[in-house]
Amino acid sequence: MQILGIETSCDETAAAVVADGAKIRANQIASQVELHARYGGIVPEVASRQHLLTIIPVIEKAMAEAKASLSDLDGIAVTMGPGLAGSLLVGVNMAKAVAAAHDLPISGVNHLEGHIYANWLTDQTINFPVVCLIVSGGHSDLVLMKGHGDYVVLGRTRDDAAGEAFDKAARILGLGYPGGPAIEQAAGKSTASIDLPRAWLKGTNDFSFSGLKTALLRRAEAGQISSVADAAAGFQEAVIDVLVTKTVAAARELGVKQILLAGGVASNKRLRQRLVDSSPLPVLIPPPILCTDNAAMIAACGYYRLKAGRADSLDLDVIPSLKLG
Ligand code: KG4
Ligand code: ZN
Protein backbone atom coordinates (compact mmCIF):
# COMPACT_ATOMS: atom_id res chain seq x y z
CA MET A 1 0.00 0.00 0.00
CA GLN A 2 1.69 3.21 -1.22
CA ILE A 3 0.77 6.47 0.47
CA LEU A 4 1.67 9.99 -0.67
CA GLY A 5 2.32 12.18 2.38
CA ILE A 6 2.07 15.97 2.24
CA GLU A 7 3.35 18.31 4.97
CA THR A 8 3.06 22.12 4.90
CA SER A 9 2.25 23.01 8.52
CA CYS A 10 5.17 25.35 9.13
CA ASP A 11 8.24 26.27 7.08
CA GLU A 12 9.00 23.07 5.18
CA THR A 13 7.15 22.08 2.01
CA ALA A 14 7.43 18.31 1.99
CA ALA A 15 6.12 15.33 0.02
CA ALA A 16 6.98 11.66 0.46
CA VAL A 17 5.95 8.24 -0.77
CA VAL A 18 5.94 5.48 1.84
CA ALA A 19 5.06 1.81 1.27
CA ASP A 20 3.21 -0.15 3.98
CA GLY A 21 3.77 2.55 6.60
CA ALA A 22 7.47 1.73 6.84
CA LYS A 23 9.49 1.82 3.61
CA ILE A 24 10.46 5.25 2.32
CA ARG A 25 10.30 5.35 -1.49
CA ALA A 26 10.76 9.12 -1.68
CA ASN A 27 11.28 11.90 0.85
CA GLN A 28 11.43 15.45 -0.54
CA ILE A 29 11.78 18.46 1.74
CA ALA A 30 11.99 22.06 0.48
CA SER A 31 13.11 24.16 3.43
CA GLN A 32 12.20 27.85 3.74
CA VAL A 33 14.83 28.44 6.44
CA GLU A 34 16.86 30.93 4.38
CA LEU A 35 13.75 32.87 3.45
CA HIS A 36 12.75 33.40 7.10
CA ALA A 37 16.27 33.74 8.57
CA ARG A 38 16.46 37.42 7.62
CA TYR A 39 13.40 38.09 9.84
CA GLY A 40 14.77 36.02 12.76
CA GLY A 41 11.72 33.73 12.73
CA ILE A 42 8.87 32.42 10.60
CA VAL A 43 6.62 34.98 8.91
CA PRO A 44 3.28 33.19 8.33
CA GLU A 45 2.28 35.11 5.18
CA VAL A 46 5.69 34.52 3.58
CA ALA A 47 5.46 30.82 4.51
CA SER A 48 2.09 30.20 2.88
CA ARG A 49 3.07 32.02 -0.32
CA GLN A 50 6.23 29.96 -0.56
CA HIS A 51 4.29 26.70 0.02
CA LEU A 52 2.05 27.69 -2.92
CA LEU A 53 5.06 28.16 -5.18
CA THR A 54 6.77 24.94 -4.08
CA ILE A 55 4.09 22.33 -3.43
CA ILE A 56 3.60 21.05 -7.00
CA PRO A 57 7.35 20.80 -7.86
CA VAL A 58 7.98 19.03 -4.53
CA ILE A 59 5.23 16.45 -5.19
CA GLU A 60 6.53 15.95 -8.74
CA LYS A 61 10.04 15.38 -7.37
CA ALA A 62 8.73 12.88 -4.83
CA MET A 63 6.85 10.91 -7.50
CA ALA A 64 9.95 10.91 -9.72
CA GLU A 65 12.13 9.73 -6.82
CA ALA A 66 9.64 6.95 -6.05
CA LYS A 67 9.54 6.09 -9.78
CA ALA A 68 5.76 6.08 -9.51
CA SER A 69 2.82 7.97 -10.95
CA LEU A 70 -0.16 9.28 -9.01
CA SER A 71 -2.24 6.38 -10.33
CA ASP A 72 0.12 3.95 -8.52
CA LEU A 73 -0.92 5.37 -5.14
CA ASP A 74 -3.33 3.77 -2.68
CA GLY A 75 -4.00 6.84 -0.52
CA ILE A 76 -3.09 10.39 0.49
CA ALA A 77 -2.12 11.60 3.95
CA VAL A 78 -1.85 15.29 4.76
CA THR A 79 -1.11 17.36 7.85
CA MET A 80 -4.37 19.08 8.91
CA GLY A 81 -3.01 20.68 12.12
CA PRO A 82 -1.62 21.96 14.35
CA GLY A 83 0.25 24.64 12.44
CA LEU A 84 -0.09 27.92 10.57
CA ALA A 85 -3.57 28.19 9.04
CA GLY A 86 -2.49 29.57 5.66
CA SER A 87 0.33 27.03 5.35
CA LEU A 88 -1.87 24.08 6.32
CA LEU A 89 -4.48 25.16 3.74
CA VAL A 90 -2.00 24.81 0.88
CA GLY A 91 -1.23 21.18 1.76
CA VAL A 92 -4.79 20.15 2.57
CA ASN A 93 -6.23 21.64 -0.63
CA MET A 94 -3.47 20.08 -2.73
CA ALA A 95 -4.14 16.70 -1.10
CA LYS A 96 -7.88 16.99 -1.70
CA ALA A 97 -7.30 17.86 -5.36
CA VAL A 98 -5.07 14.81 -5.89
CA ALA A 99 -7.50 12.57 -3.97
CA ALA A 100 -10.49 13.79 -6.00
CA ALA A 101 -8.71 13.55 -9.35
CA HIS A 102 -7.42 10.02 -8.74
CA ASP A 103 -10.29 8.73 -6.59
CA LEU A 104 -8.02 7.99 -3.64
CA PRO A 105 -8.86 7.79 0.08
CA ILE A 106 -7.54 10.71 2.11
CA SER A 107 -6.48 10.96 5.75
CA GLY A 108 -5.97 14.19 7.67
CA VAL A 109 -3.06 13.67 10.05
CA ASN A 110 -2.24 15.41 13.33
CA HIS A 111 1.30 16.75 12.87
CA LEU A 112 2.31 15.62 16.38
CA GLU A 113 1.03 12.11 15.73
CA GLY A 114 3.04 12.24 12.53
CA HIS A 115 6.21 13.04 14.50
CA ILE A 116 5.65 9.91 16.63
CA TYR A 117 5.26 7.78 13.48
CA ALA A 118 8.74 8.73 12.27
CA ASN A 119 9.71 5.88 14.61
CA TRP A 120 7.93 3.39 12.31
CA LEU A 121 10.22 4.41 9.45
CA THR A 122 13.24 2.80 11.09
CA ASP A 123 13.87 -0.95 11.19
CA GLN A 124 13.37 -1.11 14.96
CA THR A 125 10.42 -3.10 16.34
CA ILE A 126 7.95 -1.15 18.44
CA ASN A 127 6.19 -2.90 21.32
CA PHE A 128 3.19 -1.18 22.94
CA PRO A 129 2.67 0.37 25.41
CA VAL A 130 5.27 3.09 24.95
CA VAL A 131 5.88 6.52 26.41
CA CYS A 132 6.71 9.08 23.74
CA LEU A 133 8.32 12.47 24.24
CA ILE A 134 7.46 14.82 21.39
CA VAL A 135 9.68 17.91 21.41
CA SER A 136 9.27 20.36 18.54
CA GLY A 137 9.19 24.09 17.88
CA GLY A 138 5.57 24.41 18.96
CA HIS A 139 5.05 21.50 21.38
CA SER A 140 6.56 19.51 24.22
CA ASP A 141 4.18 16.65 24.97
CA LEU A 142 4.72 13.50 27.01
CA VAL A 143 2.33 10.86 25.73
CA LEU A 144 1.34 7.31 26.66
CA MET A 145 0.62 5.34 23.49
CA LYS A 146 -1.16 2.02 24.08
CA GLY A 147 -1.74 1.15 20.43
CA HIS A 148 -2.07 2.74 16.99
CA GLY A 149 -4.06 5.97 17.30
CA ASP A 150 -4.52 5.45 21.07
CA TYR A 151 -2.98 8.33 23.06
CA VAL A 152 -3.16 9.62 26.60
CA VAL A 153 -1.39 12.95 27.07
CA LEU A 154 0.52 12.68 30.35
CA GLY A 155 1.87 16.21 30.37
CA ARG A 156 2.81 19.13 28.20
CA THR A 157 4.62 22.43 28.43
CA ARG A 158 2.89 25.17 30.38
CA ASP A 159 4.68 27.92 28.47
CA ASP A 160 7.45 27.69 25.86
CA ALA A 161 7.97 24.48 23.88
CA ALA A 162 11.47 22.99 24.08
CA GLY A 163 12.33 23.98 20.50
CA GLU A 164 10.90 27.45 21.04
CA ALA A 165 13.09 27.80 24.15
CA PHE A 166 16.16 26.79 22.10
CA ASP A 167 15.20 29.38 19.46
CA LYS A 168 14.73 32.15 22.06
CA ALA A 169 17.97 31.28 23.87
CA ALA A 170 19.84 31.42 20.56
CA ARG A 171 18.43 34.89 19.93
CA ILE A 172 19.55 36.03 23.41
CA LEU A 173 23.05 34.69 22.71
CA GLY A 174 23.15 36.20 19.21
CA LEU A 175 23.35 32.79 17.56
CA GLY A 176 20.67 33.38 14.92
CA TYR A 177 17.84 31.26 13.55
CA PRO A 178 17.03 28.37 13.69
CA GLY A 179 18.25 28.26 17.26
CA GLY A 180 18.32 24.56 18.14
CA PRO A 181 21.17 23.51 15.84
CA ALA A 182 23.03 26.78 16.62
CA ILE A 183 22.87 26.17 20.40
CA GLU A 184 23.97 22.56 19.93
CA GLN A 185 26.93 23.62 17.81
CA ALA A 186 28.00 26.38 20.24
CA ALA A 187 27.59 24.05 23.24
CA GLY A 188 29.99 21.62 21.58
CA LYS A 189 32.79 24.20 22.06
CA SER A 190 32.10 24.71 25.78
CA THR A 191 34.73 23.98 28.41
CA ALA A 192 32.77 24.91 31.58
CA SER A 193 29.01 25.19 31.16
CA ILE A 194 27.17 27.75 33.30
CA ASP A 195 24.59 26.65 35.86
CA LEU A 196 20.98 27.62 35.12
CA PRO A 197 17.74 26.82 37.02
CA ARG A 198 15.45 23.88 36.18
CA ALA A 199 11.66 23.96 36.69
CA TRP A 200 10.75 20.46 37.88
CA LEU A 201 6.99 20.98 38.45
CA LYS A 202 7.13 18.01 40.81
CA GLY A 203 4.15 15.70 40.99
CA THR A 204 3.20 16.49 37.37
CA ASN A 205 4.39 15.42 33.94
CA ASP A 206 4.29 19.01 32.72
CA PHE A 207 7.24 21.12 31.60
CA SER A 208 8.10 24.80 31.85
CA PHE A 209 11.00 26.50 30.09
CA SER A 210 10.20 30.21 30.27
CA GLY A 211 11.91 30.70 33.67
CA LEU A 212 15.08 29.18 32.30
CA LYS A 213 14.96 31.49 29.30
CA THR A 214 14.42 34.51 31.58
CA ALA A 215 17.36 33.44 33.79
CA LEU A 216 19.58 33.35 30.70
CA LEU A 217 18.29 36.75 29.58
CA ARG A 218 18.99 38.29 33.02
CA ARG A 219 22.57 36.97 32.91
CA ALA A 220 23.04 38.40 29.41
CA GLU A 221 21.58 41.78 30.38
CA ALA A 222 23.83 41.90 33.46
CA GLY A 223 26.86 41.27 31.26
CA GLN A 224 27.54 38.01 33.09
CA ILE A 225 28.06 35.89 30.00
CA SER A 226 31.74 35.68 29.21
CA SER A 227 31.49 32.65 26.95
CA VAL A 228 28.58 32.06 24.54
CA ALA A 229 29.63 28.41 24.28
CA ASP A 230 29.43 27.90 28.06
CA ALA A 231 26.06 29.67 28.22
CA ALA A 232 24.70 27.57 25.32
CA ALA A 233 25.92 24.40 27.01
CA GLY A 234 24.38 25.38 30.35
CA PHE A 235 21.06 26.13 28.67
CA GLN A 236 21.07 22.92 26.62
CA GLU A 237 21.91 20.86 29.70
CA ALA A 238 19.10 22.40 31.77
CA VAL A 239 16.47 21.66 29.08
CA ILE A 240 17.74 18.12 28.52
CA ASP A 241 17.97 17.36 32.25
CA VAL A 242 14.27 18.05 32.75
CA LEU A 243 13.13 16.32 29.56
CA VAL A 244 15.13 13.15 30.23
CA THR A 245 14.41 12.89 33.97
CA LYS A 246 10.66 13.35 33.59
CA THR A 247 10.35 11.03 30.58
CA VAL A 248 12.25 8.19 32.26
CA ALA A 249 10.27 8.64 35.51
CA ALA A 250 6.93 8.49 33.68
CA ALA A 251 7.98 5.42 31.68
CA ARG A 252 9.08 3.64 34.87
CA GLU A 253 5.95 4.52 36.75
CA LEU A 254 3.66 3.33 33.95
CA GLY A 255 5.65 0.15 33.34
CA VAL A 256 5.79 0.64 29.56
CA LYS A 257 8.01 -1.43 27.27
CA GLN A 258 9.84 1.31 25.37
CA ILE A 259 10.50 5.03 25.18
CA LEU A 260 10.09 6.83 21.85
CA LEU A 261 11.57 10.23 21.09
CA ALA A 262 10.18 12.48 18.34
CA GLY A 263 10.12 16.04 16.95
CA GLY A 264 12.75 18.50 15.73
CA VAL A 265 14.54 18.77 19.10
CA ALA A 266 15.02 14.98 19.00
CA SER A 267 17.75 15.60 16.42
CA ASN A 268 19.87 17.06 19.27
CA LYS A 269 22.78 14.63 19.81
CA ARG A 270 23.18 15.41 23.50
CA LEU A 271 19.46 14.76 24.17
CA ARG A 272 19.61 11.48 22.23
CA GLN A 273 22.67 10.33 24.18
CA ARG A 274 21.44 11.38 27.62
CA LEU A 275 18.06 9.67 27.12
CA VAL A 276 19.68 6.41 26.00
CA ASP A 277 22.17 6.55 28.91
CA SER A 278 19.51 7.30 31.54
CA SER A 279 16.81 4.85 30.47
CA PRO A 280 16.55 1.30 31.79
CA LEU A 281 14.18 0.63 28.85
CA PRO A 282 14.94 0.45 25.12
CA VAL A 283 14.87 3.95 23.59
CA LEU A 284 13.85 4.42 19.96
CA ILE A 285 14.84 7.58 18.10
CA PRO A 286 14.42 8.26 14.37
CA PRO A 287 17.44 9.48 12.38
CA PRO A 288 17.73 13.32 12.56
CA ILE A 289 16.31 13.89 9.06
CA LEU A 290 13.08 12.18 10.16
CA CYS A 291 12.94 14.09 13.48
CA THR A 292 12.57 17.53 11.88
CA ASP A 293 9.49 18.20 9.74
CA ASN A 294 9.03 15.80 6.83
CA ALA A 295 6.19 14.15 4.93
CA ALA A 296 7.35 10.53 5.29
CA MET A 297 6.18 10.55 8.93
CA ILE A 298 2.79 11.90 7.79
CA ALA A 299 2.50 9.13 5.19
CA ALA A 300 3.41 6.48 7.80
CA CYS A 301 0.77 7.77 10.19
CA GLY A 302 -1.80 8.05 7.38
CA TYR A 303 -1.17 4.42 6.44
CA TYR A 304 -2.20 3.23 9.92
CA ARG A 305 -5.21 5.53 9.94
CA LEU A 306 -6.42 4.35 6.53
CA LYS A 307 -5.77 0.71 7.49
CA ALA A 308 -7.97 1.23 10.55
CA GLY A 309 -10.78 2.54 8.31
CA ARG A 310 -10.29 6.14 9.44
CA ALA A 311 -10.39 7.86 6.05
CA ASP A 312 -11.70 11.42 5.88
CA SER A 313 -14.15 12.91 3.40
CA LEU A 314 -13.27 15.66 0.94
CA ASP A 315 -14.79 18.10 3.46
CA LEU A 316 -11.53 17.72 5.40
CA ASP A 317 -10.49 21.10 6.81
CA VAL A 318 -7.45 22.48 8.62
CA ILE A 319 -7.46 22.77 12.44
CA PRO A 320 -4.57 25.14 13.33
CA SER A 321 -4.89 24.44 17.09
CA LEU A 322 -5.45 20.68 16.82
CA LYS A 323 -4.37 18.78 19.95
CA LEU A 324 -3.29 15.21 20.49
CA GLY A 325 -5.49 12.82 22.45
O1 KG4 B 1 9.54 19.41 14.58
P1 KG4 B 1 10.13 20.61 13.99
O2 KG4 B 1 11.01 20.47 12.78
O3 KG4 B 1 9.04 21.66 13.63
C1 KG4 B 1 7.91 21.84 14.44
O4 KG4 B 1 6.97 21.02 14.35
O5 KG4 B 1 7.96 22.80 15.25
O6 KG4 B 1 10.95 21.32 15.17
C2 KG4 B 1 11.62 22.52 14.97
C3 KG4 B 1 12.29 22.90 16.26
C4 KG4 B 1 12.94 24.27 16.23
O7 KG4 B 1 12.56 24.99 17.39
C5 KG4 B 1 14.43 23.98 16.23
O8 KG4 B 1 15.20 24.98 16.87
C6 KG4 B 1 14.47 22.67 17.00
O9 KG4 B 1 13.34 21.95 16.57
N1 KG4 B 1 15.68 21.90 16.69
C7 KG4 B 1 16.63 21.60 17.60
C8 KG4 B 1 17.67 20.94 16.88
N2 KG4 B 1 17.31 20.85 15.57
C9 KG4 B 1 16.08 21.45 15.47
N3 KG4 B 1 16.71 21.85 18.91
C10 KG4 B 1 17.81 21.44 19.56
N4 KG4 B 1 18.86 20.81 18.96
C11 KG4 B 1 18.83 20.55 17.62
N5 KG4 B 1 19.84 19.94 17.03
ZN1 ZN C 1 7.09 19.37 13.52
Side-chain angles (χ1 to χ4, degrees):
M1 196 170 170
Q2 290 208 107
I3 307 287
L4 170 66
I6 297 175
E7 156 63 42
T8 62
S9 68
C10 194
D11 62 342
E12 325 277 356
T13 317
V17 178
V18 172
D20 302 328
K23 294 179 273 297
I24 299 176
R25 302 281 187 238
N27 191 19
Q28 292 290 326
I29 305 168
S31 172
Q32 301 181 4
V33 156
E34 280 172 29
L35 199 60
H36 299 284
R38 75 184 82 153
Y39 306 106
I42 297 160
V43 183
E45 183 63 21
V46 173
S48 45
R49 281 169 191 270
Q50 188 62 21
H51 285 306
L52 262 182
L53 292 174
T54 325
I55 186 73
I56 291 176
V58 165
I59 291 175
E60 284 172 347
K61 271 193 193 165
M63 298 315 297
E65 189 191 347
K67 297 189 178 59
S69 68
L70 294 174
S71 54
D72 297 326
L73 297 171
D74 301 292
I76 312 274
V78 61
T79 304
M80 63 181 294
L84 303 168
S87 293
L88 289 164
L89 273 169
V90 176
V92 166
N93 283 316
M94 188 70 229
K96 289 203 281 193
V98 177
H102 293 270
D103 197 20
L104 291 167
I106 186 169
S107 174
V109 170
N110 181 315
H111 181 79
L112 302 174
E113 195 177 349
H115 271 302
I116 299 176
Y117 273 85
N119 282 288
W120 270 263
L121 296 168
T122 67
D123 49 16
Q124 309 155 106
T125 308
I126 294 165
N127 297 310
F128 293 118
V130 299
V131 155
C132 184
L133 174 67
I134 313 161
V135 269
S136 71
H139 298 81
S140 301
D141 288 6
L142 194 59
V143 175
L144 169 66
M145 188 177 180
K146 297 187 215 161
H148 289 292
D150 183 356
Y151 308 98
V152 178
V153 177
L154 304 169
R156 48 170 58 112
T157 182
R158 294 191 184 171
D159 38 59
D160 294 346
E164 187 181 0
F166 269 96
D167 294 336
K168 288 178 176 171
R171 211 171 300 153
I172 292 168
L173 297 174
L175 290 170
Y177 163 90
I183 293 268
E184 177 171 11
Q185 212 185 354
K189 295 178 195 134
S190 163
T191 49
S193 71
I194 66 168
D195 199 23
L196 289 165
R198 282 106 167 109
W200 290 108
L201 304 181
K202 287 227 167 74
T204 78
N205 290 305
D206 286 346
F207 304 105
S208 166
F209 298 112
S210 74
L212 168 63
K213 171 201 65 193
T214 307
L216 182 69
L217 182 62
R218 293 268 149 74
R219 290 250 197 150
E221 284 171 348
Q224 289 169 349
I225 290 175
S226 51
S227 157
V228 168
D230 290 343
F235 175 84
Q236 177 175 263
E237 219 51 33
V239 173
I240 292 175
D241 238 6
V242 177
L243 292 176
V244 167
T245 307
K246 298 198 82 153
T247 302
V248 171
R252 273 202 164 129
E253 193 183 317
L254 292 163
V256 297
K257 297 207 175 101
Q258 294 170 331
I259 293 176
L260 269 52
L261 188 59
V265 182
S267 53
N268 184 287
K269 291 191 201 71
R270 181 82 181 145
L271 171 61
R272 298 164 79 95
Q273 194 58 51
R274 289 256 340 250
L275 186 57
V276 169
D277 292 347
S278 312
S279 172
L281 305 168
V283 176
L284 275 60
I285 314 175
I289 187 70
L290 297 175
C291 288
T292 43
D293 286 351
N294 66 86
M297 66 186 197
I298 304 301
C301 182
Y303 166 80
Y304 284 98
R305 289 180 69 86
L306 291 175
K307 213 171 82 156
R310 298 172 68 189
D312 290 293
S313 75
L314 288 177
D315 290 338
L316 178 71
D317 203 355
V318 304
I319 306 181
S321 59
L322 187 63
K323 293 221 165 11
L324 193 62

